[in-house]
Amino acid sequence: MHASYDDISLAYKIVHGELTVKKHAEEFTYLNLLGDVQGKAVLDLACGEGRFSRTIKQQGARQVVGVDISAGMIELAQQAENQQPLGTTYIHGDVAALGTIGSFDLISAAFLFNYAASREALLALSRTAYNNLKPGGKLVASVNATPLFAPLNNQATRKYGYLVHSPSPLREGDAVDYAFFTGSHAIRLRNYHWSTATYEWAFREAGFTTCNWQAPTVSQQGMDEHGSDFWHDFLREPNFICLECS
Ligand SMILES: C[S@@+](CC[C@H](N)C(=O)[O-])C[C@H]1O[C@@H](n2cnc3c(N)ncnc32)[C@H](O)[C@@H]1O
C-alpha cells in the first residue's frame, strides 16, 4: 500500500507542486524559518526531488548539497540540475549512515525526522544533522504526524488535498498514514508520530542545546486567494510543524 519513493517520485513532484497547502502554508513557513541563506553552505537532508535545494541555491547560498535515500528522487533532482545548472550537488544515501561530509552553516531537513520508525533511528538522523553543522549554525526542519496535529481520521482535510489515517489515541511511534491527491495523481506515505519531548530528547542527545517549535502560518497570497474560512481547519489542526535547533 505504501510505495517507496522510487515508485512515486514523479507523482510526488506533481502532487506537491499542485497542492495549495504546500505552497501557501508549508513552503511559506519553511522558507521564512530558513531565513537569509545568502553566502551560506547548506546541507539539505531528505532533499527529495530537490525543490528546497534549488530554491535555497537560487536565493544565494554559496553551496547546497542534497541527500536522499531514494534513487528515483535523486534522479529527478539531478535531472532538474542538468536542465538548469545551479551548482547544486546531490548524494544518494541514507542520512542515518551519512557520517560527517562537511561543516555547514545551515542544515535543512524538511520531512525527514518523521520517517524514523524508532527512537534509535530518530537519534541517528539527529546525530548526522549535528555532526555536519558548524559551531553556531542551525538546523531547520519540518515534521509530519506532529504533536500539534489531532488525529482527525475524517474528511475535513479533503479540501486541502490530503487525508490522514492514524490510531486514536495517538501514541509514541505510531504509524500515521497520509494520502495526498490532486485531480490527476495520488500518493500514499507512512510517517511516525513522536512527541515534542521525544524530538527534543533526540536533538539534545545529538548535541543541540536549543529547540524552538514554529506552527505553520499562511501567506497573504494564500489568504487573499482562498479566504480565511478555507484555512480555518488547517490552522486549527495543522498536519506539520517546523522547528529550529542550534
Ligand atoms: C516527504 S519527502 C520530502 C522531500 C523534500 N524535503 C521536500 O520537502 O519536498 C521525504 C523524503 O525523505 C526521504 N527519506 C526518508 N528517510 C530517509 C533517510 N533515512 N535518508 C535519506 N532520505 C530519507 C524520502 O526518500 C523522501 O524523498
Side-chain angles (χ1 to χ4, degrees):
M1 177 168 100
H2 300 279
S4 91
Y5 275 89
D6 289 347
D7 301 322
I8 61 163
S9 52
L10 193 54
Y12 178 91
K13 183 171 177 165
I14 293 167
V15 168
H16 278 52
E18 291 178 3
L19 285 183
T20 304
V21 75
K22 288 275 156 197
K23 178 176 169 199
H24 292 305
E26 189 201 299
E27 291 181 10
F28 177 72
T29 308
Y30 196 72
L31 291 173
N32 274 344
L33 201 56
L34 280 176
D36 183 8
V37 296
Q38 192 76 32
K40 290 188 177 159
V42 183
L43 179 60
D44 188 15
L45 299 176
C47 64
E49 46 80 23
R51 69 177 169 139
F52 284 126
S53 309
R54 286 193 294 280
T55 304
I56 293 166
K57 193 73 176 72
Q58 281 163 334
Q59 289 184 347
R62 171 170 52 84
Q63 180 196 13
V64 178
V65 179
V67 181
D68 202 280
I69 201 168
S70 159
M73 294 298 251
I74 287 292
E75 199 180 316
L76 285 179
Q78 193 58 56
Q79 271 171 19
E81 173 64 21
N82 296 345
Q83 276 161 18
Q84 187 194 356
L86 297 170
T88 305
T89 54
Y90 294 103
I91 298 172
H92 173 218
D94 182 350
V95 166
L98 186 68
T100 305
I101 61 161
S103 179
F104 293 85
D105 302 298
L106 179 61
I107 310 279
S108 160
F111 303 113
L112 167 67
F113 297 111
N114 45 234
Y115 282 88
S118 66
R119 284 166 62 95
E120 294 69 31
L122 186 59
L123 181 54
L125 297 174
S126 308
R127 285 198 202 284
T128 295
Y130 184 82
N131 291 340
N132 282 283
L133 201 54
K134 257 186 196 155
K138 71 174 179 176
L139 160 70
V140 167
S142 54
V143 290
N144 259 353
T146 68
L148 272 192
F149 137 92
L152 293 170
N153 293 322
N154 69 23
Q155 302 294 315
T157 59
R158 187 175 278 283
K159 61 178 172 288
Y160 305 122
Y162 66 87
L163 290 170
V164 189
H165 185 76
S166 66
S168 182
L170 194 54
R171 297 196 182 87
E172 291 283 293
D174 274 349
V176 177
D177 293 330
Y178 285 87
F180 290 94
F181 44 84
T182 63
S184 58
H185 291 78
I187 52 172
R188 288 173 180 278
L189 305 175
R190 170 160 287 183
N191 293 151
Y192 296 91
H193 168 78
W194 299 106
S195 65
T196 45
T198 298
Y199 276 117
E200 287 174 12
W201 161 80
F203 297 139
R204 222 178 18 251
E205 280 292 305
F208 292 100
T209 51
T210 67
C211 181
N212 296 312
W213 297 87
Q214 161 92 52
T217 50
V218 173
S219 69
Q220 191 56 51
Q221 190 192 348
M223 283 291 176
D224 293 345
E225 281 179 14
H226 300 276
S228 57
D229 281 357
F230 173 81
W231 293 106
H232 180 263
D233 289 322
F234 174 78
L235 289 173
R236 191 167 52 94
E237 287 175 339
N239 70 310
F240 73 93
I241 185 171
C242 295
L243 61 108
E244 187 181 36
C245 297
S246 55

